[in-house]
Amino acid sequence: MTLLDCKSMPAEELRALLTSRGIPAFRAAQLRNWLDAGVTSFEEMRNLPRSLQEEFRSIFWIPTVKIEKKLVSQRDNTVKYLYGLSDGENVESVLMQYHHGWSQCLSTQVGCRMGCSFCATGMGGFVRNLLPSEMIGQIEAAQADTGVRVSSVVLMGMGEPLDNFDHVLRFLQMLSEPGGVHIGMRHVSLSTCGLVDQIYRLMEQNLQLTLSVSLHAPNDEIRSKMMPVNHRWPVAQLLKACREYTEKTGRRISFEYAMVAGVNDSDACAHELGRKLRGMLCHVNLIPVNEVDGKEQRRSPVKRLRAFSAILGKYGIPVTVRRTLGSDINASCGQLRRQEKEDVHGRG
Ligand code: SAH
Ligand code: SF4
């Protein structure tokens, strides 16, 4: 029998499973408390009888997330972690301080199958989906390490969250449960490269989270070169889904736009984007692209970002030029894991 990941089970589900096996409900609450406290072996659960510890060991396993590397920015308080998972795989996560508290950027997959041209994560291909417990574990490990309380999360680390839909949804349910890390849906952002069918599925859930869409280009010609997913879900279909999403949920969509010099940063691009987004309940985040070793992309100069932003403003679209935190520690995800792999394989 394959072992079940008990840490990925919401309290209610754990209770139902144990009672179906004749184990009293209070034992489920005890188990959940130990899991929430970060305990990773059944022997350490001291208030459980030895026989029950044995029984749990025969049905469950507990995935672990351990800090393997930690980089602290000298410029701001940004911390970047490289985590090791139970099967030896690695993912990255970044903890950032804002005036309203600490925000953590989490990974949802080991690698990613979307292959965006500018992204370090995409370079290594896809390895596997993360379990809900492995997403929670990233927060627990950072909190235990720093002693701070994470008050918001963004699913913008390695991987495409909507390509791991079921686990991400379960993670989101568990995230807001009292007793655990306890972060409300309003303090969550989920970023997608634009899997239109999954955006519709998410829409049905009517969650209070913020949806970020990585748009990065105003038309198919440019976007298909940057993001292979655009061949499957072109700009018009994506923006139609986005418009419906805002109408159905009443929530503003945040469009991510990484400015790459000479690729997607012209005045003409800004006008085209302005025309297409005009009137939508949205917001555009302009980010100078992160330069990645082995890729030719160069970031647009600050004055290009300003000019681009001013044009979007004329169409009535709110724009922010994103502050880049932790720029001295390669804080954008995917870069540390790559480096690690290169060190291990001696290619770096
Ligand atoms: N897969 C999801 C979420 C993870 S990527 C997505 O693509 O949206 C998180 C964000 O980082 C996305 O907006 C992505 O486009 C952006 N990103 C990836 N590589 C980048 C780079 N080199 N510079 C700037 N942004 C980058
Ligand atoms: Fe995957 Fe997002 Fe990177 Fe694209 S940008 S390869 S979707 S992680």
Side-chain angles (χ1 to χ4, degrees):
M1 193 179 80
T2 53
L3 298 177
L4 301 170
D5 165 12
C6 53
K7 198 167 169 165
S8 288
M9 291 185 184
E12 186 48 44
E13 194 178 319
L14 205 50
R15 205 182 59 82
L17 180 77
L18 295 198
T19 43
S20 77
R21 296 179 64 102
I23 303 168
F26 78 96
R27 295 296 185 195
Q30 288 177 322
L31 172 57
R32 190 69 251 173
N33 286 344
W34 285 115
L35 295 170
D36 289 342
V39 165
T40 54
S41 75
F42 297 106
E43 298 92 275
E44 291 171 82
M45 303 182 178
R46 293 184 310 270
N47 55 1
L48 302 183
R50 185 68 46 94
S51 59
L52 193 57
Q53 293 178 359
E54 284 300 322
E55 185 170 355
F56 284 169
R57 223 191 323 273
S58 71
I59 29 181
F60 295 133
W61 74 294
I62 309 171
T64 55
V65 176
K66 299 216 168 87
I67 297 169
E68 280 190 6
K69 236 185 202 177
K70 176 183 175 184
L71 299 176
V72 182
S73 170
Q74 300 302 306
R75 293 183 201 158
D76 44 59
N77 288 326
T78 303
V79 185
K80 177 161 187 161
Y81 292 108
L82 182 74
Y83 291 127
L85 308 175
S86 308
D87 59 356
E89 292 295 344
N90 295 108
V91 289
E92 297 175 24
S93 178
V94 181
L95 188 64
M96 296 156 288
Q97 187 172 29
Y98 291 96
H99 46 267
H100 58 264
W102 289 86
S103 175
Q104 191 172 0
C105 176
L106 303 180
S107 290
T108 54
Q109 296 180 316
V110 181
C112 182
R113 60 176 116 235
M114 300 301 155
C116 301
S117 69
F118 47 85
C119 175
T121 300
M123 289 167 90
F126 174 73
V127 180
R128 71 170 173 88
N129 282 329
L130 290 194
L131 297 162
S133 56
E134 291 173 322
M135 299 176 214
I136 300 268
Q138 293 172 57
I139 306 174
E140 289 173 344
Q143 291 190 147
D145 178 55
T146 56
V148 304
R149 178 175 136 65
V150 173
S151 56
S152 62
V153 299
V154 294
L155 301 184
M156 278 201 184
M158 299 171 62
E160 167 50 47
L162 296 187
D163 187 37
N164 185 13
F165 193 95
D166 294 340
H167 287 176
V168 165
L169 197 64
R170 182 174 271 255
F171 157 73
L172 292 173
Q173 284 160 356
M174 294 179 63
L175 192 63
S176 52
E177 283 194 339
V181 287
H182 200 25
I183 298 171
M185 211 61 99
R186 285 182 181 275
H187 304 286
V188 176
S189 294
L190 183 155
S191 178
T192 177
C193 63
L195 300 178
V196 169
D197 52 347
Q198 306 301 312
I199 291 177
Y200 283 109
R201 266 180 90 191
L202 188 67
M203 194 185 307
E204 294 309 318
Q205 301 290 326
N206 212 351
L207 303 176
Q208 296 292 302
L209 53 72
T210 299
L211 180 64
S212 284
V213 173
S214 303
L215 191 56
H216 304 317
N219 58 46
D220 291 333
E221 192 193 339
I222 303 175
R223 195 166 191 267
S224 291
K225 283 191 197 133
M226 299 173 76
M227 306 178 73
V229 68
N230 196 69
H231 293 291
R232 177 71 183 85
W233 303 113
V235 172
Q237 283 185 47
L238 175 57
L239 294 183
K240 180 169 176 282
C242 291
R243 224 173 257 279
E244 287 175 32
Y245 186 94
T246 59
E247 285 159 8
K248 167 98 198 286
T249 63
R251 313 236 357 129
R252 187 177 294 273
I253 286 189
S254 175
F255 288 105
E256 304 296 312
Y257 199 103
M259 300 274 286
V260 191
V263 174
N264 61 356
D265 65 345
S266 67
D267 285 356
C269 285
H271 282 289
E272 190 173 0
L273 187 64
R275 280 195 301 276
K276 291 185 180 176
L277 298 187
R278 186 161 39 196
M280 198 191 303
L281 183 60
C282 72
H283 174 109
V284 174
N285 252 325
L286 294 179
I287 321 138
V289 79
N290 267 298
E291 296 176 5
V292 174
D293 281 350
K295 291 190 184 280
E296 283 178 5
Q297 68 210 20
R298 290 294 163 254
R299 49 176 52 196
S300 305
V302 174
K303 72 175 198 301
R304 241 331 46 231
L305 270 85
R306 287 211 199 96
F308 202 94
S309 160
I311 294 171
L312 290 178
K314 287 189 189 137
Y315 291 84
I317 297 160
V319 188
T320 44
V321 175
R322 173 127 42 95
R323 172 164 84 113
T324 48
L325 292 175
S327 48
D328 56 329
I329 54 169
N330 268 344
S332 76
C333 277
Q335 299 182 31
L336 189 63
R337 173 171 170 268
R338 252 184 82 69
Q339 218 172 3
E340 181 84 345
K341 282 187 118 174
E342 284 176 0
D343 291 347
V344 170
H345 302 298
R347 277 189 268 117

